[in-house]
């Protein structure tokens, strides 16, 4: 079936060096210096105990930990450099091996442009289901984040409702950013165990990964740390995402912000390795610059694009996979700004082979979901996918016979070589190349076609269903977490 | 009808779909050799292939090179059958005759060539005079073959004025509306076409076919 196919970027022909080896080492040394002398805040009893046990300098009042560089560096050496993000359908497993760039949906929004009314409204559980189903049908989306918040479900079990909704509507891997306390983390592991068919199988093929946000600058959230430790215990891939932002949660300078963000991620990653050596971990980042006039955090802009490439240089240095924020935009509609910011950020993150891209679908600083934006982001990813293949130069592609047979004047359209290679060219879905008059008659554009495509998928696409027994078990687990 | 004949028609259509002129000519010769009526070979064989590719193109499943190659294979097959048609005093029914040319002083022609191919593939009989053609030569050819449409291409703002001159010439000779004029080329707009009193314009070859069909009343 065509929708089972996933489009990932691999074997790139284009390369970019955004940081030199010396610059990477300088940032790494600054990072170690921060962790050793400034310290990182770990507001979790369990985390502080782990640090204390390995001989780190722990201040229990301030919950600040200072760690010698060798402890950090030794711990990081335990990180597995490669592993697989498993999917409900094994054909859709994603290799995190440094040679695949996989696109995910973005998360976690609070409003959606309703696909039927075109009006903006608060998100609900049904939106999680619908978006997951559309993502399941597209070949560009390789895995899910929980795209929007199920605000009509009880807060204490919301992350679980969302997980269930995604699993019931797609066979692709799920990476949740919405499980950040002990209860939900334990419950999600229980759900995963049922889905995988046992604890060992869960470890072999983790169909879930967890992403935790850091609390910049130089801190973490207690619930996130505890949830991450639970996931690591189960062998579920876990990553810490820094969203350190020039001017506010980082220095105005990009290098300084990189060092701050890196210190947050590196320290927490080391913690997981100290607790569970060899646990699959990933680096996650959505670094950007705060708007100097308003203090707004929306993502996008040239600093964002540069960070997109720079963070992969760091995660490569530590030899762990990267989940990189891309497609972030402050645009309020799918427009010039959204296309510009989505295109450049995703190109920069892809050209350096970030393993995971987050992600398609959002407007206004990852707050408002738009199906049109999602579909157009997918096309941007496809364009970059095509660009990354570069230009193949060999006997066949130089086409000398064809050139000789056409000669000066004439055209190449009637050449067999031309016909054989026509499909090498990119076939856009949403780029407007029509005659002006055709446009003039309709005045429609990519947004209309993208919305129509999403509508068609919602009407027609039926994902492979989840076993009803598993759904029932999920329900039971969720009920047990909900307050009576 | 025997299975052999059925198969021959199918092969004819397939040769067009494959855009293979060698095979389409071979099959046309075979049709002559077995005394198949040449019109049958065209309408029941080759045209089926042209229509198929045209439909696939409309659906976005086939692309320009396939269309052009199908057009070339069709042209080659028809050229092979033409002497037989003449012998029988029969004529292939066409959508109409079109003379195409790039105006005097202008040597750009890829767009015009595409239009020619698409028109041929759609059943028009196309005479493409090529580039840098003076008005009197274009009009002379149109009269000679009794064309219903003249298609005029120009890529430069400095040469597109020749389109107006040709239309004025036709008007002077009272040759319109007998001969319709389509204009095209990168600088040509709807406004320009209206201003010079052309019968229509299109920015691409697909639109040009639609326009030509309208102009001959077969849309």
């Amino acid at each position: 079936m065509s929708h089972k196919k996933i489009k990932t970027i691999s074997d790139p022909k284009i390369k970019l060096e955004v940081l030199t080896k010396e610059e990477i080492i300088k940032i790494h040394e600054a990072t170690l210096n921060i962790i050793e002398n400034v310290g990182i805040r770990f507001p979790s009893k369990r985390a502080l105990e782990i640090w204390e046990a390995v001989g780190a300098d722990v201040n229990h009042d301030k919950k600040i930990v200072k760690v010698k560089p060798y402890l950090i560096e030794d711990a990081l050496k335990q990180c597995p450099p490669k592993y697989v993000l498993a999917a409900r359908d094994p054909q859709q497993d994603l290799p995190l091996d440094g040679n695949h760039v996989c696109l995910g949906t973005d998360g976690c929004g609070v409003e959606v442009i309703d696909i039927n009314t075109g009006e903006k409204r608060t998100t609900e559980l049904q939106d999680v289901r619908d978006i997951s189903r559309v993502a399941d049908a597209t070949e560009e989306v390789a895995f899910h984040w929980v795209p929007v918040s199920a605000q009509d479900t009880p807060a204490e079990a919301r992350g679980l409702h969302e997980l269930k909704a995604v699993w019931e509507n797609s066979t692709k891997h799920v990476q949740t950013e919405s499980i950040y306390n002990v209860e939900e983390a334990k419950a999600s592991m229980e759900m995963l165990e049922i889905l995988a068919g046992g604890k060992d199988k869960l470890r072999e093929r983790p169909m879930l990964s967890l992403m935790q946000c850091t609390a910049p600058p130089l801190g973490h959230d207690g619930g996130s740390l505890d949830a991450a430790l639970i996931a690591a215990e189960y062998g579920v891939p876990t990553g810490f995402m820094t969203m350190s932002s020039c001017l506010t949660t980082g220095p105005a300078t990009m290098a300084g912000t990189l060092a701050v963000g890196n210190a947050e991620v590196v320290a927490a990653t080391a913690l997981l390795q100290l607790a569970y050596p060899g646990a699959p971990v990933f680096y996650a980042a959505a670094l950007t610059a705060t708007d100097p006039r308003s203090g707004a955090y929306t993502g996008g802009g040239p600093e964002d694009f540069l960070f997109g490439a720079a963070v992969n240089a760091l995660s490569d240095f530590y030899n762990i996979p990267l989940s990189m924020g891309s497609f972030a935009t402050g645009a309020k509609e799918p427009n010039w700004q959204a296309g510009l910011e989505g295109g450049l950020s995703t190109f920069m993150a892809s050209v350096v082979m970030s393993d995971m891209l987050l992600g398609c679908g959002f407007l206004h600083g990852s707050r408002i979901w738009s199906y049109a934006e999602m579909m157009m982001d997918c096309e941007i990813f496809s364009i970059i996918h095509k660009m990354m293949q570069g230009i193949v130069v060999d006997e066949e592609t130089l086409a000398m016979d064809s050139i000789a047979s056409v000669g000066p004047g004439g055209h190449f359209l009637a050449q067999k070589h031309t016909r054989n290679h026509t499909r090498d060219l990119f076939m856009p879905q949403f780029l407007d190349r029509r005659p002006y008059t055709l446009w003039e008659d309709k005045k429609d554009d990519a947004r209309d076609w993208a919305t129509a495509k999403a509508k068609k998928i919602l009407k027609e696409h039926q994902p492979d269903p989840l076993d009803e027994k598993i759904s029932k078990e999920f329900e039971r687990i969720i009920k047990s977490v909900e307050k009576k | 009808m025997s299975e052999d004949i059925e198969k021959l028609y199918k092969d004819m259509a397939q040769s067009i779909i494959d855009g293979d002129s060698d095979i389409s000519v071979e099959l046309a010769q075979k049709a002559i050799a077995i005394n198949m009526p040449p019109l049958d070979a065209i309408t029941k064989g080759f045209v089926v292939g042209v229509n198929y590719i045209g439909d696939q193109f409309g659906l976005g499943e086939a692309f320009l090179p396939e269309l052009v190659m199908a057009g070339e294979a069709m042209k080659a097959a028809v050229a092979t059958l033409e002497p037989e048609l003449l012998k029988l005093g029969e004529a292939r029914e066409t959508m109409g005759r079109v003379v195409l040319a790039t105006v005097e002083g202008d040597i750009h022609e890829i767009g015009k060539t595409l239009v020619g191919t698409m028109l041929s593939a759609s059943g028009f009989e196309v005479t493409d005079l090529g580039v840098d053609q003076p008005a009197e030569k274009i009009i002379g050819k149109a009269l000679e073959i009794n064309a219903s449409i003249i298609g005029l291409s120009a890529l430069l703002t400095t040469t597109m004025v020749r389109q107006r001159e040709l239309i004025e010439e036709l008007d002077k000779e009272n040759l319109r509306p007998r001969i319709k004029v389509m204009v095209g080329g990168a600088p040509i707009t709807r406004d320009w076409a209206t201003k010079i009193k052309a019968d229509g314009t299109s920015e691409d070859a697909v639109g040009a076919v639609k326009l030509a069909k309208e102009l001959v009343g077969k849309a």
Side-chain angles (χ1 to χ4, degrees), chain A residues 411 419 422-423 435-437, chain B residues 18 61 65-66 110 190 203:
Chain A
H411 62 77
R419 186 184 60 184
T422 301
R423 283 166 174 77
Y436 191 86
T437 46
Chain B
D18 294 341
E61 301 287 335
E66 282 136 342
I110 185 64
R190 210 184 249 179
E203 236 178 86

Side-chain angles (χ1 to χ4, degrees), chain A residues 125 146 153-167 176 178-179 181 183-189 191 474 477-482:
Chain A
L125 187 60
V146 171
T153 61
E156 69 277 8
R158 190 166 292 162
L160 303 174
H161 279 287
E162 291 162 353
L163 265 187
K164 175 172 178 278
V166 184
W167 270 325
T176 178
S178 299
I179 299 283
N181 60 52
E183 292 72 29
E184 284 192 287
K186 280 186 176 160
S188 68
M189 292 305 120
M191 286 166 77
F474 283 0
I477 294 165
I478 293 171
K479 278 265 173 327
S480 75
V481 174
E482 284 179 2

Side-chain angles (χ1 to χ4, degrees), chain A residues 23-238:
Chain A
E23 287 165 340
I24 293 165
I25 288 170
K26 269 190 193 170
I27 293 167
H28 171 62
E29 282 167 354
T31 300
L32 294 178
N33 189 322
I34 292 167
I35 298 173
E36 184 181 10
N37 300 307
V38 183
I40 306 287
R41 191 159 178 271
F42 282 90
S44 146
K45 187 165 170 280
R46 201 175 161 201
L48 292 176
E49 284 168 6
I50 294 165
W51 283 122
E52 201 149 46
V54 295
D57 170 7
V58 176
N59 180 326
H60 283 274
D61 287 344
K62 292 185 172 164
K63 306 189 191 309
I64 289 175
V65 176
K66 295 178 178 174
V67 193
K68 293 276 180 225
Y70 77 90
L71 270 176
I72 299 289
E73 289 190 307
D74 286 354
L76 291 178
K77 281 181 193 140
Q78 306 283 332
C79 301
K82 296 176 186 181
Y83 53 91
V84 169
L85 294 182
R88 197 145 78 64
D89 180 345
Q91 292 178 71
Q92 297 176 319
D93 283 3
L94 305 173
L96 301 186
D97 58 2
N99 189 33
H100 290 83
V101 180
C102 313
L103 173 65
T105 49
D106 203 354
C108 179
V110 292
E111 291 186 299
V112 60
I113 309 288
D114 189 290
I115 195 161
N116 295 312
T117 66
E119 299 293 319
K120 180 167 67 61
R121 59 165 173 78
T122 300
T123 56
E124 298 174 352
L125 187 60
Q126 188 57 40
D127 299 314
V128 181
R129 295 188 186 114
D130 288 346
I131 294 168
S132 302
R133 200 149 56 82
V134 174
D136 188 68
T138 59
E139 64 173 352
E140 291 90 352
V141 177
F143 69 99
H144 303 268
W145 258 21
V146 171
V148 295
S149 182
Q151 296 173 80
D152 54 343
T153 61
E156 69 277 8
R158 190 166 292 162
L160 303 174
H161 279 287
E162 291 162 353
L163 265 187
K164 175 172 178 278
V166 184
W167 270 325
E168 283 176 342
N169 286 281
S170 176
T171 49
K172 294 177 181 175
H173 180 83
V174 185
Q175 184 166 102
T176 178
E177 73 286 20
S178 299
I179 299 283
Y180 41 80
N181 60 52
V182 171
E183 292 72 29
E184 284 192 287
K186 280 186 176 160
S188 68
M189 292 305 120
E190 209 185 319
M191 286 166 77
L192 188 55
E193 212 176 311
I194 287 161
L195 187 67
K199 206 167 177 174
D200 291 348
K201 285 185 183 152
L202 178 167
R203 195 174 282 277
E204 264 168 47
R205 297 191 64 253
M207 292 182 245
L208 174 70
S209 50
L210 255 63
M211 198 291 301
Q212 303 296 344
C213 274
T214 67
L218 304 177
H220 288 282
D221 168 73
S224 289
L225 289 167
D226 293 339
L229 283 163
I230 290 166
E233 179 191 342
Y234 279 79
V236 168
T238 308

Side-chain angles (χ1 to χ4, degrees), chain A residues 152-418:
Chain A
D152 54 343
T153 61
E156 69 277 8
R158 190 166 292 162
L160 303 174
H161 279 287
E162 291 162 353
L163 265 187
K164 175 172 178 278
V166 184
W167 270 325
E168 283 176 342
N169 286 281
S170 176
T171 49
K172 294 177 181 175
H173 180 83
V174 185
Q175 184 166 102
T176 178
E177 73 286 20
S178 299
I179 299 283
Y180 41 80
N181 60 52
V182 171
E183 292 72 29
E184 284 192 287
K186 280 186 176 160
S188 68
M189 292 305 120
E190 209 185 319
M191 286 166 77
L192 188 55
E193 212 176 311
I194 287 161
L195 187 67
K199 206 167 177 174
D200 291 348
K201 285 185 183 152
L202 178 167
R203 195 174 282 277
E204 264 168 47
R205 297 191 64 253
M207 292 182 245
L208 174 70
S209 50
L210 255 63
M211 198 291 301
Q212 303 296 344
C213 274
T214 67
L218 304 177
H220 288 282
D221 168 73
S224 289
L225 289 167
D226 293 339
L229 283 163
I230 290 166
E233 179 191 342
Y234 279 79
V236 168
T238 308
F240 284 91
M241 172 178 269
T242 174
M243 295 173 69
S244 192
S245 183
C246 291
L247 208 67
T248 49
T249 51
T253 48
M254 296 187 69
T257 294
L258 272 172
V260 166
N262 197 42
E264 293 160 8
V265 174
V266 158
T269 306
L271 172 79
L272 294 187
Q273 294 304 321
L274 289 167
Y276 302 101
V281 288
F282 57 91
Y283 196 125
L287 299 175
T288 192
T290 305
D291 187 80
R293 289 160 301 194
S294 65
Y297 177 101
T298 61
E303 296 83 9
D304 193 298
F305 311 151
L306 281 166
F307 282 137
V311 178
N312 197 66
L314 294 173
S315 71
D316 274 357
F317 177 75
Y318 299 117
N319 206 10
I320 56 177
L322 172 66
S323 192
M324 188 67 212
S326 72
F327 284 112
T329 181
K332 310 300 181 271
E333 300 191 303
N335 57 15
W336 169 81
Q337 184 183 350
L340 167 77
E341 295 186 317
L344 282 175
S345 67
T346 305
F347 175 74
M348 291 295 275
S350 298
V351 76
V352 295
M353 298 300 283
S354 303
D355 302 82
M356 297 163 268
L357 297 179
L358 303 157
C360 62
F362 271 133
L363 297 169
H364 189 43
S366 303
R367 292 179 186 87
I368 304 170
W369 182 270
S370 153
Y371 286 95
E373 181 71 7
M374 175 197 194
M375 291 293 140
M376 292 188 290
D377 284 349
C378 283
E379 175 128 317
I380 288 175
F381 178 75
S382 278
I383 290 169
I384 293 167
H385 175 271
K386 172 67 188 170
M387 287 170 68
M388 294 288 288
Q389 293 168 7
I391 298 168
V392 178
V393 181
D394 59 23
E395 207 178 319
E396 173 66 15
T397 60
L398 280 170
M400 294 310 286
D401 289 347
S402 185
I403 293 168
S405 111
V406 171
H411 62 77
F412 287 86
L413 283 164
Q415 299 293 309
K416 271 198 178 124
H417 182 276
T418 306

Side-chain angles (χ1 to χ4, degrees), chain B residues 24-36:
Chain B
S24 70
V25 166
E26 203 178 285
L27 293 172
Q29 285 163 347
K30 195 171 166 188
I32 295 167
I34 64 166
N35 288 321
M36 177 186 276

Side-chain angles (χ1 to χ4, degrees), chain A residues 409-416 418-419 422-423 427 433-438 440-441, chain B residues 17-20 61-66 68-69 72 109-110 113-114 117 190 203-204:
Chain A
H411 62 77
F412 287 86
L413 283 164
Q415 299 293 309
K416 271 198 178 124
T418 306
R419 186 184 60 184
T422 301
R423 283 166 174 77
M427 307 285 170
R433 294 168 169 178
R434 292 173 298 176
Y436 191 86
T437 46
L438 271 193
E440 209 173 23
D441 291 343
Chain B
I17 293 166
D18 294 341
D20 196 322
E61 301 287 335
F63 302 109
L64 284 175
E66 282 136 342
V68 171
M69 291 181 81
E72 303 263 315
E109 69 169 340
I110 185 64
T113 307
L114 262 178
T117 305
R190 210 184 249 179
E203 236 178 86
D204 69 359

